[in-house]
């Protein structure tokens, strides 16, 4: 067997609906099943999803307080009041700030922006910032992507006599700020049709309401925060993403062009991954290491030279951020493994003195990926006794809900079920660790700690066609709640498999079923080559794509996970493989089974002795529990019966066959009954015969080996046909007639010949079949 890295949660489809979708939408069954698994349960809903460009945005005035906010902003513009946009330092906050700035500048407003410094001010509105804003003569402040938790700060704004409009999308707390207006799709009692807008989506709705028509020119900004903030790409978010990517390809924004240039992305290649893996990390890097202002300036500038300089600066900051993340991750992993091992902690809370608070969210994500536990990473400021950090979660543990139960020790926190940020007294870290672990133990099971891969559908090799893959692109852009489709290909044979890449850490394979072959690549899966036996049937999970090379287009599978459901046999019967096996292949999950102490003694220097099991009789073999284990058969037992006893308790997951032997019985001269008859007659004629003195002469005379003579003498002795005294062999007169098979030595020789024939001098397929037969007999 080969255990998959993750649990495969395979979606199931209603075949009747699949057929209905195929008939009415002119799509393939594979695409129909993908639509159903994304919640499209009617033909009309599926049609709308596929033809997203034909959809329209919801009326922005359906959002609570929108009319009130628009009227107040328009009043400020009419009276030349100074307006401050108060944003956040991540990609969602930066793009939200840019959307509001662009809309208000278009309306002729006197507007500026303020983004707090992550390190000196922390997340969200703060009183010191409001003091500066008030002193600057600003009479209206509009938050974007922040503010819903700023209850005290909003009250302070009232004391400073400026109006505060909050636009946000983070989870509202039990008490809402007493702001002039709050625009938020998740407010209690909200009737807005879509609740999952990103911060930039809410800002875009406000811009729409202010401008009186859909600001399509701002979609290229709205798409950045929407994709970067990992909100569900359905409904309006899908519309923003689809249209936004189209506008991004046509962008005339000087800063975006410069950013795409340092990312090395061509316009025609822009897709959701361009934002998720190229643009957003660079925008985020600015606020993670310093003030986020340069990121806003980049998106807003019209000066090509300034844009080029800012893009280079941001790219350099991203490289610096990457190194910092790597260093902290290394320290954090060591902290976990030495102080709070995952098998003893359901929630990991890791803290470090002076860690960069701007990157701890990324580190938390990496720890979740490695340990699959809800994780909080905190940067400790011991001088001020403050801990600032970020959290990431796993399925089944709602971070926001569980952190909400700890509000008494979390003066500042906010976020979502899967991610959160917080500030607390460093003295309360241990108490937070205790509480969250207790809460997690009440809701999480051992199964919850195994990562999940959601698989859209089971796919046959015949379905892996260019047409199907091209139709699947109609589901893009992909993201949260609309992930790139993952398919499961079950129980196929591999016709080739090899390691590729400079470090040989990637896997290239070809699998085949029903006469159809498909190429596949698994990045980082090179190690699996040694864990899949030659004729094993493999199951693969991955994403379908089109490989274009040398003017050829072929379907291929980008493999993410592999499993083998059947037991596997690995053939290491060549003597030259023994040293390599124990140096390169052997793992701590294996147990080494030997049937002869002499074999262990001979190879002791190579063997991991703590994993070696010596079995010296059938009763010992029966007592072994190897069901589901990986076992190495170092040598051969005296008979196949021992192997049947060995597997009486269950079938192992893997057998590594080495079968070292000191004697080669199969190719020995095997005495026939005629040999025994002649030898008996010889002893009858010659009388007592001195084996020590004349055995070699006899062997030469007959063309036998000396071992053959010793063997026949021992058989005769066991059958009581002869006596042997100090090498002198004599016939016993009037001995009882007995069959050769009654001799233990004769039987053992026959058994050894048989077992060597069946287990050493056979092909791989024949050997596996031998074990299959043994398994059947052992459970009968």
């Amino acid at each position: 067997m080969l255990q998959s890295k993750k649990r495969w949660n395979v979606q199931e489809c209603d075949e009747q609906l699949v057929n209905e979708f195929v008939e009415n939408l002119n799509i393939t069954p594979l695409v129909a099943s993908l639509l159903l698994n994304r919640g499209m349960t009617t033909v009309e809903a599926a049609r709308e999803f596929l033809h997203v460009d034909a959809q329209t945005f919801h009326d922005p005035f359906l959002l609570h307080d929108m009319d009130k906010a628009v009227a107040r902003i328009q009043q400020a513009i009419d009276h030349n009041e100074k307006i401050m946009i108060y944003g956040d330092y991540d990609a969602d906050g930066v793009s939200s700030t840019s959307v509001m700035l662009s809309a208000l500048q278009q309306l002729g407003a006197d507007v500026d922006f303020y983004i707090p410094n992550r390190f000196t001010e922390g997340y969200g509105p703060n009183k010191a910032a409001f003091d500066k804003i008030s002193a600057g003569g600003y009479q209206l402040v509009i938050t974007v992507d922040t503010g819903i938790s700023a209850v005290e700060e909003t009250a302070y704004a009232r004391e400073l006599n400026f109006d505060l409009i909050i636009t946000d999308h983070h989870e509202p707390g039990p008490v809402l700020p007493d702001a002039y207006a709050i625009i938020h799709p998740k407010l209690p009692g909200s009737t807005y049709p879509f609740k999952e807008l990103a911060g930039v989506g809410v800002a875009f709705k406000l811009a729409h309401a202010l401008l009186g028509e859909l600001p399509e020119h701002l979609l290229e900004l709205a798409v950045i925060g929407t994709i970067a903030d990992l909100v569900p790409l359905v409904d309006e978010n899908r519309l923003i993403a689809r249209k936004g990517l189209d506008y991004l390809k046509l962008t005339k924004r000087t800063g975006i062009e410069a950013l795409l240039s340092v990312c090395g992305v061509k316009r025609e290649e822009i897709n959701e991954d361009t934002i998720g893996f190229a643009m957003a990390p660079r925008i985020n890097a600015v606020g993670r290491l310093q003030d986020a202002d340069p990121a806003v300036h980049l998106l807003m500038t019209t000066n090509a030279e300034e844009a080029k300089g800012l893009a280079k600066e941001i790219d350099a900051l991203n490289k610096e951020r990457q190194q910092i993340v790597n260093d902290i991750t290394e320290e954090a992993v060591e902290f976990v493994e030495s102080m709070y091992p995952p098998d003893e902690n359901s929630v990991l809370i890791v803290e470090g003195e002076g860690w960069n608070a701007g990157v701890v969210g990324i580190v938390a994500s990496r720890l979740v990926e490695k340990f699959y536990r809800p994780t909080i990473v905190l940067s400790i400021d011991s001088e001020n006794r403050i801990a600032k950090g970020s959290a990431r979660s796993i399925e089944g543990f709602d971070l926001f809900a569980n952190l909400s139960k700890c509000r008494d020790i979390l003066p500042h926190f906010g976020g979502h079920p899967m991610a959160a940020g917080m500030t607390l007294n460093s003295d309360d870290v241990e108490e937070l660790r205790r509480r969250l672990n207790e809460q997690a133990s009440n809701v999480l099971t051992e199964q919850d700690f195994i990562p999940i891969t959601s698989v859209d559908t089971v796919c046959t090799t015949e379905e892996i066609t260019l047409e199907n893959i091209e139709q699947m692109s109609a589901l893009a852009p992909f993201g949260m709640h609309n992930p790139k489709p993952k398919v499961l290909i079950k129980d196929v044979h591999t016709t080739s498999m090899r390691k590729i890449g400079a470090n040989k850490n990637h896997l290239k394979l070809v699998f085949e079923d029903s006469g159809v072959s498909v190429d596949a690549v698994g990045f980082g899966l090179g190690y699996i080559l040694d864990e899949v036996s030659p004729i094993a049937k493999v199951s693969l999970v991955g994403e379908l794509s089109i490989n274009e090379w040398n003017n050829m287009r072929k379907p291929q599978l980008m493999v993410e996970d592999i499993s083998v459901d059947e037991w596997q046999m690995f053939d290491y019967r060549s003597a030259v493989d023994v040293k390599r096996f124990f140096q390169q292949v052997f793992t701590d999950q294996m147990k080494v089974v030997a049937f002869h102490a002499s074999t262990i003694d001979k190879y002791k220097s190579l063997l991991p002795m703590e994993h070696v099991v010596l079995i010296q009789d059938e009763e010992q073999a029966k007592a072994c529990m190897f069901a589901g284990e990986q076992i190495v058969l170092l040598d051969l037992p005296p008979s196949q019966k021992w192997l049947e006893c060995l597997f009486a308790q269950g079938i192992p997951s893997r057998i590594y066959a080495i079968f070292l032997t000191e004697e080669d019985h199969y190719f020995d001269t095997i005495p026939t009954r005629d040999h025994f008859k002649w030898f008996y007659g010889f002893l009858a004629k010659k009388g007592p015969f001195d084996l020590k003195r004349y055995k070699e002469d006899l062997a030469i005379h007959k063309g036998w080996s000396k071992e053959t003579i010793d063997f026949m003498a021992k058989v005769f002795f066991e059958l009581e046909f002869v006596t042997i005294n100090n090498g002198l062999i004599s016939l016993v007169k009037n001995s009882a007639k007995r069959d050769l098979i009654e001799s233990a030595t004769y039987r053992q020789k026959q058994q050894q010949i048989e077992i060597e024939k069946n287990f050493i001098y056979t092909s791989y397929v024949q050997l596996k079949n031998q074990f299959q037969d043994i398994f059947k007999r052992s459970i009968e």
Side-chain angles (χ1 to χ4, degrees):
M1 297 182 73
L2 173 63
Q3 187 66 45
S4 59
K5 294 183 296 181
K6 298 183 179 181
R7 285 181 286 155
W8 296 350
N9 181 21
V10 183
Q11 308 288 326
E12 294 185 0
C13 288
D14 184 323
E15 287 301 318
Q16 184 176 343
L17 281 175
V18 168
N19 295 333
E20 188 178 338
F21 279 23
V22 169
E23 183 178 342
N24 287 278
L25 298 172
N26 193 29
I27 56 177
T28 64
L30 177 60
V31 175
S33 65
L34 295 176
L35 287 165
L36 284 164
N37 289 338
R38 279 154 175 72
M40 313 302 145
T41 56
T42 66
V43 170
E44 189 53 41
R47 182 177 286 112
E48 286 182 8
F49 189 86
L50 289 172
H51 303 289
V52 63
D53 294 330
Q55 295 178 37
T56 57
F57 285 91
H58 302 307
D59 182 352
F61 286 97
L62 294 175
L63 283 160
H64 178 74
D65 276 354
M66 182 64 81
D67 52 350
K68 190 176 179 181
V70 168
R72 179 64 185 90
I73 294 168
Q74 192 60 57
Q75 177 188 326
I77 296 171
D78 292 341
H79 292 85
N80 293 317
E81 294 180 49
K82 295 177 72 175
I83 303 174
M84 178 65 76
I85 309 302
Y86 194 106
D88 188 27
Y89 34 64
D90 65 2
D92 190 13
V94 166
S95 56
S96 300
T97 301
S98 302
V99 164
M100 277 322 307
L101 280 173
S102 299
L104 291 175
Q105 286 174 357
Q106 185 176 336
L107 292 170
D110 182 359
V111 62
D112 203 350
F113 75 94
Y114 185 94
I115 295 180
N117 183 290
R118 183 192 293 263
F119 306 100
T120 60
E121 298 175 81
Y123 171 78
N126 65 84
K127 293 178 181 180
F130 279 1
D131 283 335
K132 294 178 189 175
I133 291 169
S134 179
Y138 292 91
Q139 296 164 277
L140 177 62
V141 176
I142 306 169
T143 73
V144 288
D145 191 35
T146 188
I148 197 62
S149 300
V151 176
E152 291 183 17
E153 292 78 8
T154 300
Y156 188 65
R158 284 190 175 276
E159 293 178 21
L160 295 175
N161 292 318
F162 64 76
D163 290 330
L164 181 65
I165 296 173
I166 293 174
T167 77
D168 200 356
H169 74 123
H170 294 94
E171 295 294 328
V175 179
L176 295 176
D178 186 18
Y180 183 89
I182 299 178
I183 301 174
H184 193 303
K186 291 185 179 179
L187 286 182
S190 172
T191 58
Y192 192 71
F194 183 58
K195 311 294 185 186
E196 303 295 336
L197 290 168
V200 72
V202 181
F204 183 78
K205 302 304 296 186
L206 179 54
H208 184 179
L210 284 167
L211 294 170
E213 60 183 8
L214 185 72
E216 295 207 4
H217 61 293
L218 298 180
L219 283 167
E220 62 185 337
L221 294 173
V223 68
I224 295 173
T226 298
I227 289 177
D229 215 50
L230 302 179
V231 291
L233 287 190
V234 296
D235 203 279
E236 276 193 309
N237 287 340
R238 177 168 167 77
L239 195 53
I240 290 171
R242 174 67 76 88
K243 288 180 174 289
L245 287 170
D246 290 340
Y247 276 97
L248 205 55
K249 293 177 182 179
L250 304 171
T251 186
K252 289 186 172 55
R253 282 190 177 258
T254 309
I256 291 180
E257 289 178 323
L259 183 58
L260 290 171
S261 178
V262 297
C263 293
V265 176
K266 298 176 182 177
R267 286 174 179 265
E268 63 272 16
E269 296 173 348
I270 290 174
N271 59 22
E272 62 270 27
D273 289 341
T274 304
I275 294 173
F277 299 105
M279 297 176 72
R282 287 170 170 81
I283 293 172
N284 280 326
V286 187
R288 293 187 189 281
L289 301 186
Q290 60 170 48
D291 287 329
D293 291 15
V296 177
H297 291 312
L298 175 66
L299 295 182
M300 297 299 296
T301 186
T302 58
N303 184 292
E305 284 304 311
E306 181 187 19
K308 187 176 180 181
L310 286 168
K312 285 185 176 179
E313 175 189 343
I314 287 172
D315 189 52
L317 285 169
N318 188 51
K319 289 183 172 67
E320 182 182 347
R321 186 271 307 168
Q322 289 171 329
Q323 186 58 52
I324 293 171
V325 167
N326 291 339
D327 293 343
I328 296 177
T329 300
E330 189 175 325
E331 291 181 45
V333 168
E334 184 179 345
F335 182 96
V336 169
E337 293 176 340
S338 61
M339 300 288 292
Y340 298 98
D343 57 351
E344 299 174 11
N345 290 268
S346 299
V347 177
L348 303 179
I349 299 183
V350 185
E351 67 263 26
E353 180 76 32
W355 282 352
N356 186 307
V359 302
V360 290
I362 304 174
V363 177
S365 294
R366 290 196 179 180
L367 294 185
V368 170
E369 185 177 339
K370 181 174 179 63
F371 298 115
Y372 205 67
R373 295 285 189 280
T375 301
I376 300 174
V377 180
L378 298 166
S379 173
I380 304 296
D381 178 353
S382 57
E383 184 177 340
N384 296 306
R385 294 169 62 194
I386 290 175
K388 291 182 181 179
S390 290
R392 300 292 184 269
S393 196
I394 64 174
E395 291 292 333
F397 191 77
D398 186 324
L399 262 181
F400 186 82
N402 280 282
L403 288 171
S404 294
K405 298 175 183 177
C406 305
R407 285 181 181 274
D408 58 310
I409 58 173
L410 290 174
H412 299 286
F413 87 96
H416 310 285
M418 297 298 287
M422 70 205 67
T423 301
L424 68 155
N425 189 304
S426 58
D427 295 338
D428 291 328
V429 171
E430 190 57 42
E431 175 62 12
L432 181 65
R433 179 181 284 116
R434 185 194 67 77
R435 290 191 195 181
L436 289 180
N437 269 288
E438 184 177 322
Q439 290 165 211
S441 66
N442 293 328
V443 296
L444 296 176
T445 66
E446 284 301 313
Q447 190 78 353
D448 290 319
F449 295 126
I450 303 173
I452 300 173
T453 289
S454 184
V455 179
D456 288 273
T457 188
V458 177
C459 181
T460 64
T461 52
E462 294 101 317
E463 291 178 294
I464 304 177
T465 64
L466 292 175
E467 180 190 7
N468 260 328
I469 299 172
E470 286 166 346
Q471 278 200 18
M472 283 166 52
S473 65
L475 277 63
F478 299 111
M480 293 291 288
H481 290 206
N482 181 35
K484 288 184 178 178
K486 286 185 174 62
V487 299
L488 166 62
I489 293 94
K490 293 186 69 173
D491 297 333
V492 291
H493 286 289
T494 59
T495 56
S496 73
M497 188 182 295
R498 59 191 174 91
K499 295 180 181 181
I500 60 172
N503 298 316
K504 301 298 181 185
N505 57 337
H506 307 307
L507 189 68
K508 171 76 174 177
L509 64 145
V510 179
F511 61 89
E512 184 270 339
D513 191 43
S514 302
V516 179
S517 295
V518 180
D519 293 345
V521 176
F523 289 108
L525 299 180
Y527 68 92
I528 283 178
L529 181 66
D530 295 323
E531 299 194 35
V532 177
S533 56
I535 61 173
K537 287 185 176 182
V538 301
S539 294
L540 308 145
V541 165
E543 297 175 1
L544 296 174
S545 64
I546 296 175
N547 181 23
E548 299 189 33
W549 182 78
N550 202 23
N551 296 320
M552 294 278 292
R553 301 176 79 240
K554 291 176 62 179
Q556 71 175 358
L557 179 73
M558 305 307 294
V559 183
E560 294 183 12
D561 209 352
I562 299 179
S563 76
V564 178
D565 292 335
E566 59 187 1
W567 78 274
Q568 295 191 87
M569 192 195 73
F570 297 84
D571 190 352
Y572 287 90
R573 289 177 291 178
S574 170
V576 296
D577 283 340
V578 178
K579 185 174 182 180
R580 186 183 76 85
F581 175 83
F582 284 107
Q583 289 180 344
Q584 300 178 20
V585 180
F586 183 84
T587 70
D588 287 342
Q589 283 73 50
M590 300 178 190
K591 293 180 180 177
V592 181
V593 176
F595 300 97
H596 305 280
S598 57
T599 310
I600 296 174
D601 290 339
K602 184 174 181 179
Y603 293 94
K604 198 169 187 177
S605 63
L606 289 177
L607 299 177
M609 294 304 297
E610 66 275 18
H611 295 276
V612 174
V613 178
L614 176 61
I615 296 174
Q616 295 184 295
D617 57 48
E618 291 184 10
E619 290 305 313
Q620 276 186 301
K622 286 179 182 177
C624 289
M625 294 285 291
F626 290 135
E629 299 277 0
Q630 300 180 30
I631 65 168
V632 181
L633 294 178
L634 190 65
D635 55 15
L636 280 171
S639 74
Q640 290 189 193
K641 180 65 177 176
W642 286 41
L643 291 175
E644 292 173 19
C645 294
L646 191 67
F647 303 124
Q649 305 277 6
I651 298 172
S653 63
R654 299 184 194 177
I655 291 177
Y656 293 85
I658 295 181
F659 297 149
L660 299 169
T661 56
E662 292 186 26
E663 297 180 60
D664 198 334
H665 298 271
Y666 184 61
F667 288 108
D668 279 352
T669 301
I670 305 173
T672 64
R673 291 186 179 273
D674 286 340
H675 288 101
F676 281 103
K677 183 178 180 181
W678 186 91
F679 190 41
Y680 188 91
F682 172 78
L683 293 175
K685 286 181 182 179
K686 298 293 183 181
F689 181 73
D690 193 337
L691 289 172
K692 285 184 177 181
R693 292 181 62 185
Y694 301 116
K695 175 171 57 179
E696 186 172 355
D697 293 338
L698 180 61
I700 293 171
H701 172 71
K702 292 297 295 180
W704 296 341
S705 68
K706 289 183 289 183
E707 288 75 19
T708 298
I709 296 171
D710 286 336
F711 174 73
M712 290 192 293
K714 189 174 181 181
V715 169
F716 281 168
F717 179 78
E718 290 177 354
L719 295 174
E720 299 178 342
F721 291 169
V722 299
T723 59
I724 301 176
N725 185 15
N726 198 26
L728 196 66
I729 183 169
S730 306
L731 284 179
V732 175
K733 292 182 179 180
N734 302 318
S735 59
K737 189 174 182 181
R738 301 174 67 184
D739 195 277
L740 293 174
I741 200 68
E742 295 181 56
S743 162
T745 296
Y746 187 86
R747 289 198 307 274
Q748 185 178 356
K749 184 75 168 179
Q750 295 298 319
Q751 289 170 351
Q752 285 295 138
I753 291 170
E754 184 68 14
I755 200 168
E756 285 181 13
K757 181 182 77 171
N758 291 338
F759 289 87
I760 295 180
Y761 303 106
T762 52
S763 68
Y764 175 90
V765 173
Q766 290 171 328
L767 179 61
K768 186 165 187 183
N769 288 337
Q770 286 289 341
F771 277 109
Q772 292 279 50
D773 291 341
I774 285 174
F775 295 156
K776 289 178 183 177
R777 289 197 297 272
S778 66
I779 61 176
E780 287 176 354

